[in-house]
Each structure stands twice: as C-alpha cells, then as structure tokens.
C-alpha cells in the first residue's frame, strides 16, 4: 500500500456513545476504551506530533477502539486533517448521522472513512451507496458473502472494495459470543429484542390505564441471555 501506516493512540481521548454491541471481537489493537482523563491540549499535541517528516505522505488511522463522540470532537479532527494536508487520515465509525451532517457535505481531501456495522445507527446505512465494514466469523464467511477482506492491510478498508469484511479475532470467548454471526446480524437481533420489549411495555402501560390487571415487572423483565455485553 502507498505510504506508511501509523496508528496514533491517545488513551485519554473520550469514546463514543453509539457503540452498542461489544467492544471488539475483531481487531484488539491498542488501548482499551476509557473515559477521558484530560482533554486540554490534545489537538495541539497531535498536530505537533504529525509535523514530523516520517508522517508526510503516510496514513494515520484515527482511533482503534473509540469513535467521534461529539460534533466538536469530530470538527477538531477535521481541522487537524486540514492543518496537516500532507498526511492522509482514515477512520472506522458508527457515528453515521454525525458524519452525514458534518463530513459528507465537504470532506477533507486527505480523510477517508468507512462506516462500521454493529451500532445503534445500522439502519441508516445503505451498502449500495455507503462504504461499510462488517465483522465476520472468519475469512471463508467473507468470501461466501461476496465481500472483500481487509486482512492483508487495514488500509483496504478505505482503499479497497466498498464492502469491507473484517475477520473476527481468534479469541475463543469472543468467537463463542459471536456464534457464527456477522456484527450486522448480531446487532439486528439486539435491536429486534429491544423493540419487542418496548412494545410489551407500551401494551402493559395501556392495559394498566384501562384497568386490566397486569404485572408490569413480569412483562418488562429482559429475556434470559438477551443483549450481548462488552467483554
């Protein structure tokens, strides 16, 4: 791939709210997801570091497990891209609506992104139009689905075919939870379960108002083994 690939990590940067599935049975690369310990001066620190000659013409992946948690934070990264036009940037994101509003109308020429399945905004994605990434249980599943793997180089996520397959990390406990599903399939199951619970809750509230005897606690109790949780 052209240039060099670097993954700059600042473990004190905040993470996103829209990561709804699991942390990552895909690429366990760097710092765990953490809440911010400080936010002062981070933009200046990154701009200064990227001024080094070794970054010119290279590729920088923004985050390895976080996301663009606010408008201001995303705009700051766009400003960093503009400040360092000789360096290329890319990112995975689940912040679909935020990117639709702030990035897609006028993206920096040195910034590429791929939308990741497995978040609360999956329904807003259109794989016929959007560049999208999905985590698969293995390489064979990627090929069978007709997607293109980024296993050879993570840059393929933004420079290769539009449908990006990411093979799941071979951690037995993660693979067991994935249970042969893609992240998009797992997320769809979670969303369907949440929708069903909300529907039952509305029915219970309506029945209670009409005087019908119902046990609200019994009706709204989550199903056993329901929503997946972060490892």
């Amino acid at each position: 791939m052209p240039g060099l690939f670097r993954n700059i990590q600042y473990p004190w940067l905040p993470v996103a709210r829209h990561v709804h599935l699991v942390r990552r049975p895909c690429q366990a690369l760097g710092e765990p997801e953490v809440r911010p310990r400080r936010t002062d001066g981070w933009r200046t620190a990154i701009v200064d570091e990227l001024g080094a000659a070794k970054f010119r013409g290279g590729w920088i992946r923004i985050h390895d497990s976080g996301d663009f948690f606010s408008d201001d934070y995303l705009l700051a990264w766009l400003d960093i891209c503009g400040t360092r036009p000789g360096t290329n940037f890319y990112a995975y994101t689940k912040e679909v609506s935020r990117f639709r509003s702030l990035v897609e109308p006028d993206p920096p020429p040195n910034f590429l992104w791929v939308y990741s399945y497995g978040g609360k905004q999956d329904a807003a994605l259109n794989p016929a139009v959007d560049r999208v990434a999905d985590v698969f249980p293995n390489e064979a599943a990627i090929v069978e689905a007709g997607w293109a793997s980024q296993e050879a180089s993570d840059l393929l996520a933004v420079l290769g075919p539009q449908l990006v397959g990411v093979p799941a990390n071979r951690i037995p406990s993660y693979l067991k939870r994935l249970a042969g599903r893609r992240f998009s399939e797992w997320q769809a199951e979670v969303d369907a379960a949440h929708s069903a619970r909300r529907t039952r809750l509305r029915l219970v509230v309506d029945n209670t108002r009409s005087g019908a005897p119902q046990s609200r606690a019994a009706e709204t109790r989550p199903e056993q083994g329901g929503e997946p949780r972060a490892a």
Side-chain angles (χ1 to χ4, degrees):
M1 307 305 299
L4 57 91
F5 165 63
R6 297 264 176 176
N7 185 11
I8 292 182
Q9 271 299 302
Y10 291 84
W12 37 268
L13 290 182
V15 297
R17 294 186 300 267
H18 288 301
V19 178
H20 187 61
L21 253 178
V22 294
R23 187 146 51 210
R24 52 184 184 210
C26 44
Q27 293 183 323
L29 290 178
E31 298 291 337
E33 292 181 333
V34 294
R35 299 307 303 171
R37 295 196 292 272
R38 72 176 191 270
T39 56
D40 56 297
W42 70 267
R43 180 196 171 280
T44 300
I46 293 175
V47 168
D48 289 348
E49 182 169 350
L50 293 176
K54 63 183 178 180
F55 293 113
R56 292 174 195 154
W59 285 89
I60 302 298
R61 173 172 170 174
I62 304 173
H63 308 135
D64 69 5
S65 61
D67 211 329
F68 300 92
F69 69 100
S70 73
D71 288 357
D72 287 344
Y73 178 64
L74 173 54
L75 289 171
W77 270 110
L78 297 178
D79 183 65
I80 290 170
C81 294
T83 303
R84 294 298 181 197
T87 299
N88 302 296
F89 298 83
Y90 78 104
Y92 293 77
T93 185
K94 294 179 172 67
E95 296 287 336
V96 182
S97 62
R98 181 163 286 132
F99 266 64
R100 297 270 198 249
S101 173
L102 298 179
V103 181
E104 289 190 7
D106 187 24
N110 59 332
F111 177 50
L112 300 177
W113 67 94
V114 55
Y115 291 116
S116 299
Y117 278 112
K120 290 182 177 180
Q121 300 181 12
D122 278 10
L125 294 173
N126 180 0
V129 177
D130 298 314
R131 174 174 289 273
V132 292
D134 204 353
V135 175
F136 288 74
N138 50 49
E139 288 280 346
I142 295 174
V143 173
E144 183 178 355
W147 289 44
S149 174
Q150 49 69 274
E151 180 72 0
S153 169
D154 195 51
L155 281 173
L156 291 172
V158 292
L159 299 179
Q162 183 170 302
L163 302 180
V164 182
V166 181
N169 224 333
R170 309 315 294 169
I171 299 175
S173 59
Y174 286 170
L175 292 175
K176 182 177 180 180
R177 297 178 65 197
L178 193 57
R181 298 169 292 187
R182 295 157 56 166
F183 261 25
S184 58
E185 295 169 336
W186 192 357
Q187 184 66 53
E189 293 174 11
V190 172
D191 292 343
H194 285 176
S195 177
R197 285 198 290 271
R198 285 193 296 269
T199 299
R200 285 197 300 273
L201 176 59
R202 285 195 295 270
L203 290 174
V204 170
V205 171
D206 289 342
N207 289 339
T208 301
R209 288 173 177 170
S210 64
Q214 292 286 341
S215 172
R216 182 169 181 173
E219 289 293 332
T220 59
R221 186 182 300 119
E223 294 87 346
Q224 196 72 294
E227 178 182 350
R229 296 181 180 178

